[in-house]
Structure formats: structure tokens, C-alpha cells
Amino acid sequence: LRRLPDHCFNKCGSLLQVILPSRMKEIGKYAFAECRRLAGVTMPKAPSVIDDFAFAYCSGLMSIELSESIESIGKESFIYCSSLLDINIPAKVTEIPWGAFAFCTGIRTLTFSEPSSLKYIGPSAFYGCSWLSELHVPEPIETVDISGFYGCSSVSKLWLPKTLKVIGPGAFGYYQELKHIYTAAQEPPELDENCFIQENTLHATLHVPVGSKERYEAAPGWKWFKKIVEDESLGTVGVKAIRQDANEEGPIYDLQGRRADEHTKGVVIKNGKKVVRR
């Protein structure tokens, strides 16, 4: 059996555990939808596709280890799986479509296998995952679409990658506990002005790469943040890695990427590393 047919076990109320065969390549649409007592799924290494609505409304599903062979996750494939505790997105997945994990209110941990291929978070993909406390959006994601992570109301720290280019309306909306946002992008991503609630722009601290503060202060959406600070851990605008032998004296740069002389004091870049000169 290479493909589990559409609607195969749909609304099977007595199903408690599933062990999928090793040759399984695809899980069809609605295959396990509304199996509300289904608690666990053991998945072999073979599957590459989880189709639309495959596990939708499996409200008792607590654990499923997504195989690293998976390349495609369908829309609303795990919607309302409210008992799921942990999810790891396999490295070959390139996008999370509409509502794939929406209203998975029990998820405590969301991780992404590395190196990730993920570039797109679709509308409402993780809508209402209200128990997440921290959110690391991985590289190489370029777009988080409308309401992509809306209503993850317990998130206090949010990390955004340097690859991010577009953030849609409400993508990170209704974050009641948000205290810190860390963005590694030197150029401010395109941000819809309705992405963050006013409480976030007034009270959360926006951490940006050294040398990019003025860009964020002038950028649509970002400029409303009252607390914008430059953070060395996020990199420095204009400074590139300098490969140099450890014993060789190379050129010295300040944190804005400008050539410094031997009299420059404070934190500088020497041989590709930050050092303090006194």
C-alpha cells in the first residue's frame, strides 16, 4: 500500500493508535479526519505527502513524529488537533499552507529541522497556538502571510530571521505577553501596519542589528515601536566576515563597518572577531 485513500478512516471513533506501513508514500485527504479518540501516530521514514485535512479535528491526538522524508503538508491537515504538545517541521518542507496547524492550542514547542527548506508560512498556518511561549521563525523563511502566527497569545519572545522579507496583516497579532522581538534582517522586512497590536509597539523591545536602528525607525510599521535597540548578537550592518590567520595583524573596523586606526578604543572588529580595545 503506497497511498492511504481519501476518507479511509474518516470519523472512525474507535481508533486509538496508528502504525503506518513502511512503504506508505502518501496519506490521502481526510484519511484520519475526525478520529477524535486517536491519541498517537507512528510514522515510518517513507511518506513524502500528508494531504489536505488528513488529521483534521483529531482532538485527542497528543503525539505524531513527522518523518524527515515529508516534503508536503496539506492545508488544514492538523487543524483543531488541540491535544498536540510538540511539533517538529521536517527539513524538506518548503511551505506551511492555509490553516495547517490552526487551533492546535496545546502545542508547547514548535521546532524546525535544520537545514530548513521552509520559505513560506501561509495564511492562518499556526493561528491560535496559544500555549507557545517562544517562537523562533527559522531561515530561510521569506514570507509570513496574513494571520500566519496570529493569536499565539503566550509568546513573550519572538525571533525573526535575516531572510524574512514580507510580514502580512495580523501575522503576529494578538500577542498579549510579547516583551521582546529580535530581528536579524539588516533591511526592515515589509511589515503590514496591522501586524502587531498597539500594546506591543508601546511596550515590547525591538532588537535590531547594529547600524540598522535608523532604518527601522523610518520603516512603515516598524517605526511605531517606541523601544528600538541595537543588539550585537544580531550582527552589524556593513561588516563582513574577515578571514585572517590568527597570528596575522589584519585591518580593524568599527561596528559600523568603517576602517578604524590603531588609536580607536572600545569594541572593534579585528581578524573577523569582536575585541575590546582599551
Side-chain angles (χ1 to χ4, degrees), residues 70-97:
I70 292 174
E71 299 176 5
S72 176
I73 296 175
K75 65 182 180 182
E76 297 190 10
S77 47
F78 293 92
I79 191 171
Y80 281 105
C81 290
S82 54
S83 297
L84 274 177
L85 299 176
D86 305 290
I87 284 292
N88 180 69
I89 305 300
K92 294 181 181 179
V93 175
T94 59
E95 69 173 83
I96 305 295

Side-chain angles (χ1 to χ4, degrees), residues 145-208:
D145 215 331
I146 181 171
S147 301
F149 289 98
Y150 182 91
C152 299
S153 54
S154 297
V155 168
S156 61
K157 294 182 179 180
L158 170 64
W159 281 266
L160 303 176
K162 62 184 179 183
T163 54
L164 190 59
K165 297 178 180 177
V166 178
I167 303 174
F172 301 103
Y174 200 64
Y175 278 33
Q176 296 174 303
E177 302 297 327
L178 189 60
K179 301 295 187 295
H180 297 276
I181 303 169
Y182 301 84
T183 172
Q186 295 185 358
E187 291 294 335
E190 179 183 325
L191 177 68
D192 185 90
E193 304 227 353
N194 294 315
C195 178
F196 294 99
I197 60 175
Q198 186 179 38
E199 184 177 347
N200 299 155
T201 58
L202 291 176
H203 302 296
T205 301
L206 176 62
H207 301 252
V208 301

Side-chain angles (χ1 to χ4, degrees), residues 55-275:
F55 294 92
Y57 298 93
C58 291
S59 55
L61 183 61
M62 297 181 67
S63 66
I64 181 168
E65 185 174 346
L66 299 179
S67 168
E68 285 298 328
S69 63
I70 292 174
E71 299 176 5
S72 176
I73 296 175
K75 65 182 180 182
E76 297 190 10
S77 47
F78 293 92
I79 191 171
Y80 281 105
C81 290
S82 54
S83 297
L84 274 177
L85 299 176
D86 305 290
I87 284 292
N88 180 69
I89 305 300
K92 294 181 181 179
V93 175
T94 59
E95 69 173 83
I96 305 295
W98 185 294
F101 294 93
F103 301 105
C104 291
T105 53
I107 292 179
R108 267 64 168 176
T109 307
L110 173 63
T111 55
F112 302 84
S113 291
E114 295 182 348
S116 176
S117 303
L118 195 60
K119 291 193 174 183
Y120 177 71
I121 301 293
S124 303
F126 292 94
Y127 190 109
C129 294
S130 55
W131 272 97
L132 280 174
S133 59
E134 294 188 357
L135 177 56
H136 295 253
V137 180
E139 295 183 22
I141 285 180
E142 296 179 354
T143 301
V144 179
D145 215 331
I146 181 171
S147 301
F149 289 98
Y150 182 91
C152 299
S153 54
S154 297
V155 168
S156 61
K157 294 182 179 180
L158 170 64
W159 281 266
L160 303 176
K162 62 184 179 183
T163 54
L164 190 59
K165 297 178 180 177
V166 178
I167 303 174
F172 301 103
Y174 200 64
Y175 278 33
Q176 296 174 303
E177 302 297 327
L178 189 60
K179 301 295 187 295
H180 297 276
I181 303 169
Y182 301 84
T183 172
Q186 295 185 358
E187 291 294 335
E190 179 183 325
L191 177 68
D192 185 90
E193 304 227 353
N194 294 315
C195 178
F196 294 99
I197 60 175
Q198 186 179 38
E199 184 177 347
N200 299 155
T201 58
L202 291 176
H203 302 296
T205 301
L206 176 62
H207 301 252
V208 301
V210 173
S212 66
K213 182 179 179 181
E214 290 184 0
R215 301 179 187 181
Y216 278 86
E217 288 176 332
W222 300 106
K223 65 184 179 182
W224 302 119
F225 280 87
K226 302 300 182 184
K227 301 177 184 177
I228 302 179
V229 299
E230 294 186 342
D231 190 325
E232 292 184 7
S233 70
L234 297 170
T236 302
V237 172
V239 174
K240 298 181 180 179
I242 305 167
R243 300 190 66 178
Q244 197 84 24
D245 186 84
N247 298 318
E248 183 180 347
E249 286 292 329
I252 300 170
Y253 299 85
D254 65 18
L255 292 179
Q256 281 69 49
R258 298 171 299 202
R259 189 73 175 262
D261 61 30
E262 62 215 28
H263 303 295
T264 302
K265 305 298 183 183
V267 180
V268 296
I269 307 294
K270 182 179 180 181
N271 290 352
K273 296 181 180 180
K274 292 177 182 176
V275 296

